Amino acid sequence: MKLTHLFLASTMAVTGAAGMAAADFPSEQPIRLISPYGAGGAVDIASRILSSVSGEYLDTRVDVISIDGAGGQEAINLVRDAPADGYTLLVTDYGPLITTALQEDVSYELDEWVPIVQITEVSPVFFARADGPYTDMETFIELAQADPGAISVAHGRYLSVPHLPLILLEQVAEFETNHIPTTGGGQALAFVLGGQTDAGASVPSTIAGGIGDGSLVALALATAERVDALPDTPTLRELGYDVVLPAWYTIFAHRDVPAERMAILEERIMEALNSPSAQALGGRTGTDVRPLGMEASMEAYQTTIVNLEAILATID
Amino acid sequence: MMEFLAEAFALALSPEVMLFALIGIGVGVTVGAIPGLSGDMAIAILLPFVFVMEPAAALGLLVGIYKGSMFGGSISAITFGVPGTAGAAATVIDGYQAKLKGQPNRALHTALYSSIIGDTGSDLVLIFLALPLAAVALMFGPVEFFALYVVSLTLVAALTMGKVARGIAAAALGVMLAMIGRDPITGAQRLTFGLPELSGGIGLVPLLVGVFAVSEIIVQAGRAWMRRSGREMADITARAEALGYDVSKDRLDWPTFRATLKATLLGTGMGTFIGALPGAGASLAAFMSYGVAQRLSRKPQEFGKGSLEGVAAAEAGNSATSGSTFIPLFAFGIPGSATAALFGAALIMMGITPGPTMIKENMSLIYALFIMLIYANLFNFCISKLLLPVYSRLAMIRGEYVLPVVLGLAILGTFAASNSVKDVWVLLAAGLLGVGLRWFGVPLGPLVLGFIVGPGLEQSLRQALMLGRNDWTHLVQSPIAIGIYLGTLAILVGFWLLTRARPESADGAAGGGKGAT
């Protein structure tokens, strides 16, 4: 492993040195966008939207490279060890970057990472079968309080984007359910549809079909505001529970990358993602491409760290 | 309904997709005909490229390779007595004898026809059964899935011809290897020996390619080193040329072909059934249908002495697994074989998650796949018929030219799949593991299937226990699960009775295949 990094670092040092000398960033070599997830997942698809319009707006190619080894740490380490020239960036949600860092020994500090652009916000949503007893969040919480642990809720992986809001909601609203980890949104959906579990937690794109055909009902969102995909679904904050824990897919640079390069990246990537072609691709792949710049995405990053620290402290 | 069918036809019949299917079949027959190379290997090596291709074209390519390799394996089996693929091991028994009797052309054509019939029959079953099965699949929760996983592991371990204990050991080893990495429920690291590289677990592609392909390469390189392989090959070639054989006297006429039809149909049924069971594979299907065809034949005494019925039964049997092996994948998201697992991975790379909702969500693409499955058989038939004489020479390519290229491709493909040098080390380690397992006669299939179903087995068991609040009797409170367990028991008893009735033929079959390899 060390050898690998040494090798990668040395090849990149050679190419990087040449890049530093040139003034016309970022056009002199392709940008590598390293993703800690396998090809074909939601983060990957969001990254490829940027990649497909990059030629026009960034004057260079953006290559999305999936490195899902070691629970995402391999990808993060690669970006960290690469020369800080702005040509190697990280794209991720908070799981591998923050959750893992708060739970295990990792090679980096959280403040080493500077968010450049948040590509999209992902909204955790709770849902149940439309023909079941849980037609709204109030009823769900009442029934859960009446018989602690009896209601089962399928979420994604342990401590994943839909699971953490569930933990937080139970703390805030004082109830208890039986958490069933699944392989992801697809399995959680199948469990709810098949009546294996009483409710589920996922993201809007997973349940869109079931909401559309009337087989599912969305109970509540763990976001600050309602989302376009589910206009009739209330947020938990509206219902009086302060549970706001959205996820994001964000492009990060290491803090050693020169500030002017970060600014150029921010400007160009924002422009690329706001372009009609990127928006159209987002619509086709079910990704709500709504880019936020450095300041706003830094705020989202830090808020998430604070929230996750609080939640994880209670369950360890 | 009509709309998506039209879309599916447009997708499947587009020139690009048909071209890729054709290329796939060419590649498939080629790798199938070369001993040591298999369709699974070719698919595994091509996986990383799937992501950048159009989904329909990628599926066409993979389907072509799979089908081509199914038949290709029989070419070297018949011509040289060396099974090109594991599935063709049963074809060697009568196919090679028929060739020695001076009927290679008849045997090859029998193999081709029965292979195409078996394959088509199996595809039809898939097309008409996958949808209804997918509809009931939502009734399958953790309890029922656990039952299915237990069944597939039991079957694959228990049905390993003549090596039950080793089959169980291999399956258990596979499950254990799959447990390295992160706990599926809590995400905690386990069995990583403190190595951060192992915290993401062991990848399927490096393990699969390593255990099957790299180990075969190492073994063959070792043999070549001992200067045995070269001499054997030369002997075989010399014998083939010395026979002074005339193709015009070796045509497969209608009455001869008709006599093999019963065996073909038996093989088709048996292969389709076994292919649909998660965990059982093409070689098992071939041996089982060979055994059954012999029992029900009018001329059982000719089996093993160049009977075309034997060739037909074995070839129909292994090819008939190729459609039905997708039933568990499409209906439940459970890959029933290594090939199905590779197709599952390819689908995921296209953004399609195999499982109960897959067909509904991707109607036109899945129906396009069904159409491809059918026309690929036709392509396979035409190409193979035209090129049979050329293909039979492929088996004569010397190992020292083939093996380095394959090893290079395996390493490149593995690295490309994950962009990780770690996986290349895993690949080489898996290769050495494969050599060790071959040395001790441990079957590789159960190991890989154990590895593939291991995570699902563990996850569904723990989900079921969480839902049942740690009450183990929760596992047998579902009528579906009980039905699955009883069904397995019935299958095991049935196989036991079948194999017990003809111990000598089963031993002969296994021994013949092994000896020839």
Side-chain angles (χ1 to χ4, degrees), chain A residues 1 4 39-40 44 48 65-67 70-71 74 104 149-150 152 158 178-183 187 190-191 194 196 213, chain B residues 51 138-142 182 185-187 189 196-197 199-200 348-349 351 360 418-421 459 463 466-467 469:
Chain A
M1 198 63 233
T4 318
D44 187 63
R48 272 171 214 277
I65 301 176
S66 290
I67 303 181
E74 217 171 298
E104 297 172 15
S152 53
Y158 186 72
N178 188 0
H179 300 191
I180 309 296
T182 64
T183 54
Q187 199 181 40
F191 281 6
Q196 313 293 339
D213 69 14
Chain B
F51 189 76
L138 277 181
M139 291 155 64
F140 279 66
R182 286 181 189 273
I185 301 297
T186 67
Q189 291 185 26
E197 289 81 12
S199 64
I348 290 171
M349 285 183 157
K360 215 176 112 191
S418 62
N419 293 305
S420 166
V421 179
Q459 173 122 0
Q463 283 172 339
M466 289 172 98
L467 281 170
R469 301 204 188 183

Side-chain angles (χ1 to χ4, degrees), chain B residues 381-392:
Chain B
F381 177 76
C382 299
I383 292 184
S384 300
K385 189 142 172 63
L386 273 174
L387 295 180
L388 264 185
V390 182
Y391 284 146
S392 59

Side-chain angles (χ1 to χ4, degrees), chain A residues 26 31 33 50 53-54 57-58 62 86 89 116-119 251-252 261-275 278 289 291-292:
Chain A
I31 292 174
L33 203 50
L50 173 63
V53 296
S54 58
Y57 296 92
L58 279 89
V62 172
L89 304 170
I116 302 291
V117 171
Q118 174 176 322
I119 303 175
I251 297 170
F252 290 89
R261 292 200 170 194
M262 289 195 200
I264 295 172
L265 285 171
E266 178 197 19
E267 189 196 323
R268 303 280 184 91
I269 295 174
M270 288 289 284
E271 201 186 338
L273 291 175
N274 277 319
S275 69
V289 180
L292 295 180

